[in-house]
């Protein structure tokens, strides 16, 4: 095999697109991953990183365009990983996601017979995110907001994030300018000094209520209240300004401690006609419009009746279970974040729902306990984080003997792994339905109904 050398240039043709949206070229079998490169495109590339099994290349000159290529407004959107598929037409993105699911069903799940439906996409696949978490750094002697270059902590100053609610983009600039005016110091990761680490903004898609969270390294916030008042004055939609304190040297964005600088401790929004309280630490799907499509589809697949006992595992603030509670006898929700369970309980009450119970804890611990207590679910909804289901949870869910399991997944690889386990334990997957919750990015959400 020819050895690929760092800093040397090669002429290649792209033959694949990785699940992260990087073009792949093989130089005598050695894979080189290349940003902003699409299948069938010929180009000269420079090898910038060369590992044992694969390397990374940088485009020097591209000789032709894939017909599905579209112009990228700002290359930093690719460089930062904010919108790694934005150089592809949206139709192609949707097909690409369907194919990615098909691939893992064959390779990981070994279930080639399971069909994958066309991805349900958005009419307007931009400006959809209801939440932004923006790092703050000192750049050119100024407090700067933007996004990290991929695999680094170099801040690329960005003002238009393409996929965020434009009102959120605008809010970030307003807040940045206020912080500059007050000479607030940006955090410095290298020596864990300075003050403002992140600006987090959430905006209710329907309510238009805005929450601003200023993540700081230390507690003492000189003129913090005054700054919060000015944020409110310049951004009238703001109903809550929270200071979150994170003293650790860590990549985890939020710390445990919180203080209200202005207004309420949470915002409200609506989903499928129900209102929800959303606290700073609670998970809430970032694409409200598509979440409604996702939940509707999941509920439709379950064909619920008034006799159904439903488990909503990994329930967050209760959105899935509360959307279907009126159709069934009872809902049991479980979730590991205490603040989210407080929200779920509050949300049940606020919507007049009395047949839902919630518990804080790990789903894999609570599920077996519920079984011992005689809770006998007929339908189990699961919506785990990227790492998928814990083996103990899978066993407990099968032991509970439900008629149906509805699996909502944000990671095809762990979905495929878990579908294999369920198949071996007697639960068979029907069609997988991808729903595009994250246009322009490589994230893939899908739903699948499992029956005995
Ligand atoms: N169903 C909700 C939340 C889905 S996100 C919605 O649609 O909004 C996944 C949720 O699982 C998060 O709220 C996360 O806090 C929670 N979680 C992560 N690990 C968990 C575990 N082991 N047990 C229970 N919940 C968990």
């Amino acid at each position: 095999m020819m050895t690929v050398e760092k800093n040397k240039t090669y002429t290649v043709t792209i033959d694949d697109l990785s699940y992260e949206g990087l073009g792949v070229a093989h130089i005598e079998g050695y894979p080189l991953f290349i940003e902003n490169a699409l299948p069938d495109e010929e180009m000269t590339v420079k090898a910038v990183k060369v590992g044992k099994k694969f390397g990374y290349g940088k485009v020097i000159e591209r000789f032709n365009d894939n017909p599905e290529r579209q112009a990228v407004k700002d290359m930093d959107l690719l460089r930062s990983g904010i919108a790694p598929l934005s150089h592809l037409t949206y139709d192609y993105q949707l097909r690409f996601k369907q194919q990615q699911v098909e691939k893992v069903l064959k390779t990981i799940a070994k279930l080639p017979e399971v069909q994958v439906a066309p991805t349900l996409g958005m009419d307007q696949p931009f400006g959809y995110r209801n939440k932004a978490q923006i790092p703050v750094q000192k750049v050119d002697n100024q407090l700067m907001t933007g996004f990290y270059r991929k695999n680094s902590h170099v801040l690329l100053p960005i003002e238009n994030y393409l996929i965020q609610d434009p009102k959120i983009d605008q809010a970030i600039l307003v807040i940045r300018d206020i912080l500059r005016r007050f000479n607030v110091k940006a955090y410095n990761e290298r020596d864990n000094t300075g003050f403002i680490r992140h600006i987090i903004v959430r905006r209710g898609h329907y309510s238009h209520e805005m929450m601003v969270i200023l993540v700081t390294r230390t507690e003492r916030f000189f003129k913090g209240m005054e700054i919060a008042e000015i944020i409110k004055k310049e951004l009238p939609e703001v109903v809550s300004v929270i200071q979150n304190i994170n003293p650790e040297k860590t990549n985890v964005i939020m710390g445990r401690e919180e203080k209200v600088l202005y207004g309420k401790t949470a915002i409200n929004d609506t989903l499928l006609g129900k209102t929800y309280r959303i606290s700073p630490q609670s998970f809430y799907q970032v694409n409200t419009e598509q979440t409604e499509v996702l939940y509707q589809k999941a509920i439709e697949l379950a064909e619920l009746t008034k006799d159904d006992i439903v488990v909503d595992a990994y329930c967050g603030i209760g959105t899935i279970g509360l959307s279907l509670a009126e159709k069934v006898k009872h809902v049991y929700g479980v979730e590991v974040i205490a603040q989210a369970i407080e929200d779920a309980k509050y949300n049940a009450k606020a919507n007049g729902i009395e047949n839902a119970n919630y518990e804080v804890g790990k789903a894999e611990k609570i599920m077996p306990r519920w079984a011992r207590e005689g809770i006998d679910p007929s339908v189990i909804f699961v919506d785990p984080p990227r790492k998928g289901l814990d083996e103990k949870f899978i066993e407990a869910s099968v032991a509970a003997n439900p008629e149906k399991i509805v699996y909502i997944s944000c990671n095809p690889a762990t979905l495929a792994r878990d579908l294999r386990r369920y198949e071996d334990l007697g639960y068979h997957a029907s069609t997988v339905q991808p729903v595009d919750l994250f246009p322009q990015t490589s994230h893939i959400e899908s739903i699948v109904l499992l029956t005995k």
Side-chain angles (χ1 to χ4, degrees):
M1 191 160 112
M2 170 170 102
T3 40
V4 173
E5 279 175 56
K6 190 173 163 172
N7 293 330
K8 265 203 166 172
T9 46
Y10 300 88
T11 302
V12 298
T13 304
I14 305 299
D15 55 45
D16 201 2
L17 193 59
S18 79
Y19 72 95
E20 292 163 305
L22 296 175
V24 192
H26 289 86
I27 302 172
E28 294 189 16
Y30 180 89
L32 210 55
F33 291 87
I34 304 150
E35 203 168 82
N36 193 19
L38 294 173
D40 302 327
E41 290 177 348
E42 203 187 339
M43 55 189 71
T44 49
V45 296
K46 184 161 122 187
V48 287
K49 230 181 184 178
V50 178
K52 261 212 177 99
K53 298 212 162 115
F54 61 88
Y56 290 94
K58 194 173 175 263
V59 183
I60 305 291
E61 193 186 351
R62 190 173 71 235
F63 303 118
N64 65 314
D65 283 359
N66 180 308
E68 302 282 356
R69 174 179 280 281
Q70 67 178 14
V72 179
K73 285 201 191 86
D74 176 358
M75 276 306 293
D76 281 348
L77 294 166
L78 287 187
R79 285 189 196 115
S80 62
I82 292 174
L85 301 186
S86 56
H87 57 328
L88 276 172
T89 62
Y90 191 51
D91 271 350
Y92 191 95
Q93 292 181 28
L94 295 175
R95 272 183 281 135
F96 174 67
K97 291 185 182 187
Q98 181 187 17
Q99 286 159 6
Q100 292 295 308
V101 179
E102 281 167 353
K103 201 173 185 174
V104 294
L105 283 175
K106 289 197 184 85
T107 56
I108 301 175
K110 312 263 190 276
L111 293 168
E113 72 284 5
V114 175
Q115 295 292 304
V116 182
T119 311
L120 297 175
M122 298 184 85
D123 291 338
Q124 291 294 328
F126 303 99
Y128 58 84
R129 278 188 69 99
N130 61 28
K131 178 185 178 182
Q133 310 197 88
I134 303 300
V136 176
Q137 262 182 23
K138 188 156 117 181
V139 177
D140 297 336
N141 232 3
Q142 276 204 107
L143 183 144
M144 191 64 85
T145 50
F147 222 76
Y148 296 133
R149 178 190 281 273
K150 247 184 293 178
N151 307 318
S152 87
H153 279 208
V154 176
L155 192 88
L156 304 168
I158 290 174
E159 299 198 347
N160 177 351
Y161 295 78
L162 188 75
I163 60 172
Q164 287 169 190
D165 180 336
K167 292 271 191 186
I168 292 182
D169 283 3
Q170 182 209 342
I172 289 158
L173 298 181
V174 169
I175 297 161
R176 178 198 70 188
D177 292 347
I178 295 170
L179 295 173
R180 282 180 181 170
R181 247 155 44 217
F182 278 80
N183 262 320
V184 180
K185 284 208 168 54
Y187 179 62
N188 180 330
E189 313 185 86
R190 219 171 327 117
D191 38 17
N192 196 27
T193 57
F195 191 60
I196 296 270
R197 302 173 66 125
H198 276 84
I199 300 169
I200 302 174
V201 180
R202 257 180 172 162
R203 180 173 187 260
H205 179 79
Y206 293 108
S207 69
H208 299 169
E209 285 187 3
M210 207 181 258
M211 170 183 275
V212 175
I213 306 170
L214 300 172
V215 183
T216 64
R217 182 179 66 87
T218 51
E219 184 175 343
R220 211 181 98 78
F221 192 169
F222 183 61
K223 296 196 174 169
M225 297 283 204
E226 193 182 331
I227 287 170
E229 291 284 341
I230 293 172
I231 290 175
K232 162 70 189 171
K233 213 158 101 205
E234 295 192 17
L235 297 167
E237 291 184 338
V238 169
V239 297
S240 168
V241 182
I242 307 279
Q243 179 189 359
N244 175 283
I245 301 142
N246 186 357
E248 310 296 329
K249 210 173 167 172
T250 168
N251 283 337
V252 177
I253 295 179
M254 282 210 261
R256 272 187 296 262
E257 210 187 318
E258 274 166 23
K259 280 179 158 180
V260 179
L261 297 178
Y262 168 85
K264 309 197 287 181
T265 58
I267 56 167
N268 289 293
D269 200 18
T270 309
L271 206 59
L272 294 175
K274 301 258 175 339
T275 69
Y276 291 97
R277 178 180 91 180
I278 309 155
S279 293
Q281 310 263 354
S282 297
F283 176 91
Y284 187 64
Q285 290 287 8
V286 295
N287 184 339
T288 309
E289 198 182 313
Q290 286 296 85
T291 299
E292 295 192 315
V293 173
L294 178 81
Y295 288 0
Q296 256 163 345
K297 197 79 204 171
I299 293 168
E300 187 186 303
L301 281 173
E303 297 187 79
L304 300 164
T305 73
K306 263 291 176 195
D307 296 325
D308 278 320
I309 308 278
V310 170
V311 163
D312 180 4
Y314 308 85
C315 69
I317 63 171
T319 42
I320 295 176
L322 296 175
S323 298
L324 57 80
E326 281 144 352
K327 296 186 200 297
V328 301
K329 197 165 180 184
H330 206 92
V331 174
Y332 294 92
V334 56
E335 155 67 46
V336 78
I337 304 286
Q339 223 178 53
I341 285 294
E342 279 171 44
D343 286 347
K345 288 178 177 167
Y346 177 95
N347 292 332
K349 264 215 189 90
N351 290 292
I353 290 166
E354 288 170 356
N355 60 339
N357 287 71
Y358 290 96
E359 287 210 36
V360 185
K362 290 191 169 172
E364 59 272 25
K365 286 241 171 78
I366 304 291
M367 207 45 224
R369 207 197 71 216
W370 279 346
R372 287 198 294 277
E373 289 169 1
I375 292 169
D376 187 16
S378 52
V379 185
I380 299 179
F381 284 80
V382 298
D383 185 8
R386 291 185 56 75
K387 68 172 191 269
L389 298 175
D390 190 283
E391 174 62 21
K392 284 196 214 83
F393 181 90
I394 296 184
E395 285 166 18
S397 65
V398 169
N401 198 31
E403 280 168 47
K404 298 164 199 161
I405 298 168
V406 180
Y407 195 140
I408 300 175
S409 157
C410 56
N411 182 350
T414 56
L415 172 68
R417 178 199 69 199
D418 294 345
L419 291 183
R420 180 71 249 169
R421 275 301 285 151
Y422 274 121
E423 177 76 22
D424 294 340
L425 295 169
Y427 281 86
H428 184 67
S430 61
T431 308
V432 179
Q433 175 65 67
V435 180
D436 196 19
L437 256 62
F438 311 102
Q440 319 304 330
T441 83
S442 54
H443 291 288
I444 307 175
E445 189 87 8
S446 26
I447 321 170
V448 52
L449 170 70
L450 295 145
T451 47
K452 259 174 86 113

